[in-house]
Amino acid sequence: MLLILFFLIIIAIASLKIRVNFKDIQISNINERGEKVKLKNHYHINIELFIFKYIKIAKVKFNNEKVSKSISKMKYKIEDIGIEKEIKKEIKNRKQIIKAFKHLNLKLEKLNFNLEIGTEGIISTIGVFTIISTLVPILIRNNADKVEYKIAPIYNIGNVINFWANGISEVYLVHIIYALYMIKK
């Protein structure tokens, strides 16, 4: 009986699926009139936990207001703890992270995004626009049917960005554990 319960727990953990649904992620430093302003961001993220692929057992919602309130209420700030130094020590070899990310098996359900970007000069704007417009199709080649995007240059305003995204992504807990194992290895 105890052995059956143990195997059921192992199967349940192995079948845990995490779905991240991000809505209206916006990062922009231009206003509606096309003038450069201070960088602002806005987001809504829902994280859902499923067992046996379909049974939802938990849901957590984040948005920029809730996160900023939580950070302001914290007794100690992240900088005070010194976590950044520890993370920099742990991540010595970036190749390990890339290798672990490949093993993560992140499944993209859908992604919609718009990106408008500009720099100080017209030629540098064209260069950045060309590089991004070339890299995005390469990065999404396996999920091209699930991604809709628009990339446009903005000229003669300065260093500006206007980014908006919506999407759904899924990953299994087993793959996260294996990716963490690959980083430690």
Side-chain angles (χ1 to χ4, degrees), residues 13-102:
I13 290 172
S15 70
L16 279 173
K17 177 174 71 170
I18 301 169
R19 176 182 286 165
V20 179
N21 184 357
F22 47 95
K23 301 176 187 175
D24 293 330
I25 294 181
Q26 298 173 354
I27 301 171
S28 179
N29 66 345
I30 57 175
N31 60 13
E32 295 82 24
R33 291 172 274 166
E35 300 168 343
K36 188 174 177 181
V37 295
K38 185 180 175 186
L39 186 69
K40 58 186 177 209
N41 60 13
H42 176 73
Y43 55 88
H44 293 285
I45 300 173
N46 297 331
I47 300 174
E48 300 171 332
L49 187 62
F50 292 88
I51 192 166
F52 302 120
K53 291 188 180 182
Y54 303 108
I55 303 170
K56 187 188 309 184
I57 58 173
K59 182 176 183 177
V60 179
K61 295 181 180 181
F62 295 101
N63 62 26
N64 53 332
E65 291 89 15
K66 286 182 182 179
V67 171
S68 62
K69 284 180 185 176
S70 298
I71 290 174
S72 66
K73 290 180 182 178
M74 289 175 64
K75 185 174 181 180
Y76 298 104
K77 301 293 182 199
I78 293 174
E79 296 85 22
D80 298 338
I81 299 172
I83 293 174
E84 295 171 3
K85 293 177 185 176
E86 293 297 322
I87 291 172
K88 288 178 183 176
K89 287 179 186 177
E90 286 291 323
I91 304 173
K92 293 179 182 175
N93 191 353
R94 294 183 191 269
K95 290 181 182 178
Q96 287 178 325
I97 294 174
I98 294 170
K99 185 178 179 182
F101 192 75
K102 289 178 183 176

